[in-house]
Amino acid sequence: MFSKACEYAIRASIFIAKNSFEGNRVSPKEISEEINSPQAFTAKILQALVANNIVKSVRGAYGGFEIDKNKISQIKIAEIVNAIDGDAIYKGCGLGLDKCNENHPCPMHDKFKVIRDGLQDLLENTNLEELALDIKIGASFLKV
């Protein structure tokens, strides 16, 4: 459903948010190890997250990536998805057809639209704080 880059971006954002709650910045190496992503690929994803004002990069000996604590609850997962994959996930055809729409639907259009709309609702109404706090309290995990 999401591209691999988008999956990594969501995981990285959750990991950075969890550490930001604890007052810690994390290095690209720590992030790539935690989310099981190649380091060079992680670096590109982090650049996109910084460019879209989702995470902040701090240079220097005590640098790394962080998210302002007061901003974590305001970041919706949809913002991360849009930063990496754009909004195609909300518009695409379930069968991959180019010309599928309300006036010219594919055989799965109506059923897939319900799922697609539900996913959009989920992403737009889930914030990074919820997911990071679940990790922090051990209710969910980024690594198995």
Side-chain angles (χ1 to χ4, degrees), residues 65-81:
F65 291 89
E66 66 182 7
I67 302 172
D68 292 331
K69 286 183 188 180
N70 60 350
K71 188 179 172 191
I72 295 171
S73 65
Q74 299 168 15
I75 299 171
K76 304 295 184 186
I77 303 307
E79 293 176 58
I80 300 166
V81 172

Side-chain angles (χ1 to χ4, degrees), residues 106-119:
C106 76
M108 286 183 43
H109 182 80
D110 293 333
K111 292 180 186 216
F112 189 70
K113 184 178 182 329
V114 172
I115 293 167
R116 197 177 55 208
D117 291 348
L119 177 63

Side-chain angles (χ1 to χ4, degrees), residues 5-20 26-28 30-32 34-37 41-43 45-46 49 54-55 65-67 80 128 132 142:
C6 188
E7 290 174 5
Y8 289 148
I10 294 168
R11 288 188 216 166
S13 298
I14 294 168
F15 181 66
I16 295 166
K18 176 195 159 289
N19 279 279
S20 294
V26 289
S27 72
E30 291 173 293
I31 296 166
S32 68
E34 181 65 24
I35 68 171
N36 295 321
S37 170
F41 194 39
T42 303
I45 292 165
L46 291 169
L49 293 174
I54 295 167
V55 303
F65 291 89
E66 66 182 7
I67 302 172
I80 300 166
L128 200 50
L142 285 175

